[in-house]
Every structure is written in C-alpha cells, then in structure tokens.
Amino acid sequence: MTAPGNEPYYDLGRYHRRVDTPAPEAQMWFDRGMVWAYAFNHEEAIRCFERALQFDPDLAIARWGIAYSIGPNYNKAWDAFDPGDKATSLTRARTELALAGGGRASAVERGLINALRERFSIDDPDDVDALSAAGAAYVAVMERLYVDHPDDVDVAAMTADALVNLTAWALWDTRTGEPAPGSRVLQAKEILERALADPAGREHPGILHLYLHTMEMSANPQDALPVADLLRDLVPDAGHLLHMPSHIDVLCGNYRDAVVANTAAAQVDRRFVEREGPLNFYSLYRAHNLHFIVYAAMLEGNSRAAFAAADELAAQLTPELLSIESPPMADWLEAFVPLGVHALVRFGRWDELIAHPLPQDLDLYCSTAATIHYGRGVAHAARGNLAKAHAEQDAFATAYARIPDSRYLFNNTVIDILAIAAEMLAGEIAYREGRYDEAFACLEAAIALDDALPYDEPWGWMQPTRHAYGALLLEQGHVERAARVYAADLGLDDTLPRPCQHPNNVWSLHGYHECLQRLGRTGEATIIGRQLVLALARADVEIAASCACRLEVAAP
C-alpha cells in the first residue's frame, strides 16, 4: 500500500482523469473509484465514489460512477443478479443519476451521465426484455458520445465496455473465428485498438483489460500478448488486473506466466481481505485467481502450486460466506471448493482420493460431494477395486441429483461440468473391467461434452478429457488414434476450436512424443522431444503418461 495524502491506501498506479472539483481529495477518490471500476472491484469503486462525494457533494460524475459500478458488467449481467440485488441496484442507480442532474459536470461528463440513464431507464426489475432494450439504447448513446469525443480514452473504454456487454462471454463463434450472433466485438476491437495506438491508451487499465477480454475468445489470442504485457504491473494492488494477462497466457501455453501472474494477484488479494474482510462479491474474483493457479499448474505438471492454491481456495469458502443469500454466494462460489479433487486425479494420488472425506453439509456443498465421489470412483477403478468404484458411481449419481441448476462455476453450470465426470468415471470403470469399446465410447462422450462447454477461462473441466483417452488408447496399442488425439489437444492441427487447444502442455507432449517414436516418425519426434524436455523441466512430478489412469506404460 502507498499513502497518497495522509491516508494509507492501495497502490493503484498512475491513472488520472481530471474532473472539475475544488477539492483535491474528491479528485483523488474519484480516480481511485475509476481504477477499481476498470479492475471489476465494483464494491470498492462505489466506496471510493462515495468518499469523493463527501468532499464534493456536487461532483456529478461521482454519482455516475456509483450508478455505473452498481449495474451489470461483463462478469455479472442482469440475469446473474438475484431479484433482491437487481431491484436494489436498479433503484440506487436511478437515484444517483437523478441527483447527478443537479450537480456540476463538464460537457463530456454530462454525456456519460445521460448515456447511463438509458441503461437504467426501466423501473421494473422483472421486465427482462425492457432491460435488454435499455442496454442496447445505452450502447447507441455511447457510440454517439464516442464520435463526438474520439480522443477521450475513458469514453473509448466505456463505449467498448458497452459493446462487449451486449453479448458478454459470447463475443466470437469459437468454431468459425467470426463474431458470434449479435456480437459487436469488431466495433469494440476497433475502438480499443485506436486507443492503444496512443500512449494514453497503452497506460489505461480499462482499455488494456477490455482488449484482453475482446481477444481471448478469438482465433488469435496471441495477438493480445503485447497488451497483456502492458497490463502486468500497471496497477500493483489491483488483484484482478494482475490476473488478467493470464487469460491470454494460458491460451498460448504460457502456463508458468499464468501461475506467476495469479500468485501475485492472490498476494495482493490477501491484503484486500485484511482491510475489507472476505464477505463481499470480490470473493468471486479472489477465487478466480486461485482457480487459475490450479488449472495452469496442472497443465504445467506443477503439483505443489496446484495443491497449495486449491487448499487456500477451499479454506476461503467458509459456510459463513457460502450461506449469504443475496447475492447467492453458494451458487457462485461453492463449485470452487473441490478443485483439489481434480488435482488429485491429475497427479494420480489415488490413496488420498479414496480417503477424502465428504463435507458435513451435503446440500450446501452439493458440487463438492459429487466431485469427491467422482474422484474416489476413479481412484478405486485405478486400484482395481471395481465393486467400490461402482459404489462411488452410484453415490455420485445420488449427489449429482442434489445439485440445483443455479449452481455455476463461472460461465458453466455445475450440472453440465459434472456430466463430463459421469462419462469419465463410467469409462474408467468399463476400461478396468476389460470392456474397452464401451470405455472408449464413454470417454469419447466425455470429450464431446467437454468441447461443447460454453467458453470459459479457465475451461470448465479441469483436466483435458483427451489426456485420459490418449493414454488408454496407447495402452491398448492404438497408436495412430492416440497420435491424432494428442496433436489435436496441442493445437498442432485445426481439429479443435482455439479455446479447446492446450499448446505446450507437458502431458500431451509426452503422449505425442511416444506416439511419434513408436510410429517411426523420427524427425517429428525430435522436434516434439525438444519441446518436451523444456516442459519437463518445469514439472515437479515424474510424468510417465498423459494420464495417471494409464497403469502400464508401454516402453517407447
């Protein structure tokens, strides 16, 4: 933390937007509110704008900031608000914007206020169609404001933000590389790239943040790597902004960079919790950072980082936090609790899985209970305890039936995610019972479900389904088929949409290298072998196959 003025606070970098106020303290708190809004810590942004108003009650743009921050955003569209939260937020925003009408504002600030009034022009929180139309009207006014003020970097950021929020997390058709139906992503991208051509844009947290979201779903996420680098240390104490470059890193196979970025984010998040406590919506973003560490570390073969992050995350998600009903924290956060189970499966820690206890509250921790039964079932199958594996499969089905359709892991329902677990577990059991055709059919069904998940980062299913499939194909001597599986997973062909590829991951590199050697494709094996050696240097476990479920590793 730094101490601007005489009051200790977070180090939020150099962002500044001059507003017409006689109070330096109001200017300082307004700037802080803007940074937090761009960093998606909207509760802290609101507190900052409220502080600005304490020093200058006529600062209309601070009321705009409150209204903007309390409304929908890229990670929380209107349909993610519970009824009470939506009604309260809508009322507060409308009140602040009405009060802003009598305050002091420049021409461009008045334009921002008038545009945001369109977003909140509806007073019925249950009128979904009207809220959607109001969002579109807000975009139209922001586009006109941008035409009038094309060199105002905050207007550019807010216009791009409005455009991507029309189809949040559905900006691109990941199979074709074209914009998704209804998406305005090309316009947002053009606005952001124009801003990035200017030095002010290259130091603007909102421009950089939004550009990464604009590009991550695209067919060419690597194009955003230079922008990710600009953002990495720009706002030292904003955890979500420290984390954001990893959205691009993980798509490009930079798993070490993703672990480092999120470790830094988690560290500053701990300081935020010390100051503000854990019972707030930002807990979702803190969980997201640790989730990213688990995911990237698993792909890197870094067991220590994966288990440490999973344990820290599970400890954060207390019954007290998950029992908050508005917003419904269990629906948003409980599915993060069992990430450690996925790490145990990834690293073949069968005995620990078998001994893993169930939570006491099976309803509050329903996703956790189902995931534990899945992990136990895979472990028993790997150990050859097939009767116990079937018992866990039955227990999984019972636990799965308790999961409400409102339970999410970011963009995916837990029901959709754990449908993959059901097929994976069935395939592992069938395989160990010698029913190989049935086993491969189950694993292929799991792959199809995995590929069909709505876009998310990290991906909804923690261990790529092709890793088990390829390992077991190799164990049965289906080398050509396994080679195709690994090549697709590594993104060496166009079989898979870009988000379903896992470039440079050590597991598929190992499997593909073995396939190439066994097929006599020595030239390719040499190239992949060089990549494998580098990847193995980061792993802290012995890697003998792409999945620990392959129990008898054939000699190359």
Side-chain angles (χ1 to χ4, degrees), residues 38 40 74-75 156-174 177-180 183-196 204-225 227-228 231 240 244-248 251 411 455 457 498-499:
Y38 288 133
F40 287 7
Y74 194 72
N75 286 330
M158 286 295 163
T159 304
D161 175 73
L163 287 163
V164 298
N165 274 294
L166 288 173
T167 56
W169 291 103
L171 301 179
W172 300 90
D173 182 332
T174 57
E178 297 298 320
S183 172
R184 304 281 295 280
V185 67
L186 293 181
Q187 290 160 281
K189 182 172 179 285
E190 181 181 356
I191 290 170
L192 293 169
E193 289 178 345
R194 185 180 186 277
L196 287 167
H204 191 279
I207 294 293
L208 302 177
H209 185 177
L210 288 166
Y211 192 73
L212 300 187
H213 279 308
T214 298
M215 294 301 294
E216 65 183 332
M217 288 185 69
S218 74
N220 299 292
Q222 68 276 1
D223 291 351
L225 280 170
V227 174
L231 185 59
H240 187 62
M244 269 307 301
S246 65
H247 279 242
I248 304 300
L251 288 163
N411 294 335
Y455 180 89
E457 208 59 69
R498 186 65 179 80

Side-chain angles (χ1 to χ4, degrees), residues 28-348:
M28 178 180 68
W29 284 104
F30 173 80
D31 286 344
R32 290 170 172 175
M34 290 296 287
V35 175
W36 285 124
Y38 288 133
F40 287 7
N41 189 337
H42 297 98
E43 290 165 306
E44 186 66 15
I46 290 168
R47 283 191 286 268
C48 291
F49 292 128
E50 289 171 340
R51 289 293 302 276
L53 288 168
Q54 289 176 9
F55 292 102
D56 183 358
D58 293 328
L59 187 59
I61 194 65
R63 297 195 182 279
W64 164 88
I66 293 171
Y68 171 80
S69 301
I70 208 169
N73 59 69
Y74 194 72
N75 286 330
K76 190 183 179 186
W78 277 129
D79 60 5
F81 284 65
D82 69 89
D85 189 16
K86 186 190 293 185
T88 300
S89 299
L90 196 56
T91 299
R92 175 80 189 274
R94 289 167 60 84
T95 300
E96 294 294 343
L97 291 170
L99 291 170
R104 184 178 61 257
S106 68
V108 68
E109 290 166 3
R110 189 64 63 193
L112 288 167
I113 292 166
N114 290 336
L116 198 58
R117 284 199 180 108
E118 294 292 337
R119 172 179 273 183
F120 298 106
S121 60
I122 307 304
D123 58 9
D124 180 1
D126 297 322
D127 194 335
V128 176
D129 292 338
L131 287 172
S132 178
Y138 168 58
V139 170
V141 179
M142 283 302 304
E143 286 181 296
R144 292 196 293 272
L145 188 65
Y146 175 71
V147 169
D148 293 338
H149 303 277
D151 297 322
D152 187 313
V153 69
D154 288 299
V155 171
M158 286 295 163
T159 304
D161 175 73
L163 287 163
V164 298
N165 274 294
L166 288 173
T167 56
W169 291 103
L171 301 179
W172 300 90
D173 182 332
T174 57
R175 294 196 173 275
T176 66
E178 297 298 320
S183 172
R184 304 281 295 280
V185 67
L186 293 181
Q187 290 160 281
K189 182 172 179 285
E190 181 181 356
I191 290 170
L192 293 169
E193 289 178 345
R194 185 180 186 277
L196 287 167
D198 186 89
R202 292 194 293 275
E203 293 187 353
H204 191 279
I207 294 293
L208 302 177
H209 185 177
L210 288 166
Y211 192 73
L212 300 187
H213 279 308
T214 298
M215 294 301 294
E216 65 183 332
M217 288 185 69
S218 74
N220 299 292
Q222 68 276 1
D223 291 351
L225 280 170
V227 174
D229 291 339
L230 291 172
L231 185 59
R232 290 187 195 278
D233 301 311
L234 185 69
V235 187
D237 282 344
H240 187 62
L241 295 183
L242 292 178
H243 143 86
M244 269 307 301
S246 65
H247 279 242
I248 304 300
D249 291 333
V250 79
L251 288 163
C252 297
N254 299 339
Y255 306 118
R256 168 53 41 175
D257 289 346
V259 170
V260 169
N262 285 282
T263 300
Q267 182 175 351
V268 301
D269 282 345
R270 293 184 198 109
R271 297 202 293 272
F272 183 80
V273 172
E274 289 173 5
R275 184 182 176 109
E276 305 297 341
L279 304 181
N280 46 59
F281 191 79
Y282 191 70
S283 291
L284 178 67
Y285 290 94
R286 293 191 294 114
H288 186 49
N289 298 341
L290 292 167
H291 181 198
F292 240 98
I293 294 175
V294 179
Y295 183 75
M298 284 170 59
L299 284 166
E300 186 186 33
N302 184 345
S303 66
R304 284 189 291 271
F307 287 120
D311 290 344
E312 180 178 352
L313 180 50
Q316 288 181 4
L317 302 177
T318 63
E320 182 183 16
L321 175 60
L322 297 181
S323 295
I324 294 173
E325 294 183 356
S326 183
M329 289 298 196
D331 283 347
W332 284 86
L333 289 170
E334 183 265 329
F336 289 101
V337 175
L339 293 185
V341 173
H342 292 283
L344 289 170
V345 172
R346 167 84 280 178
F347 294 105

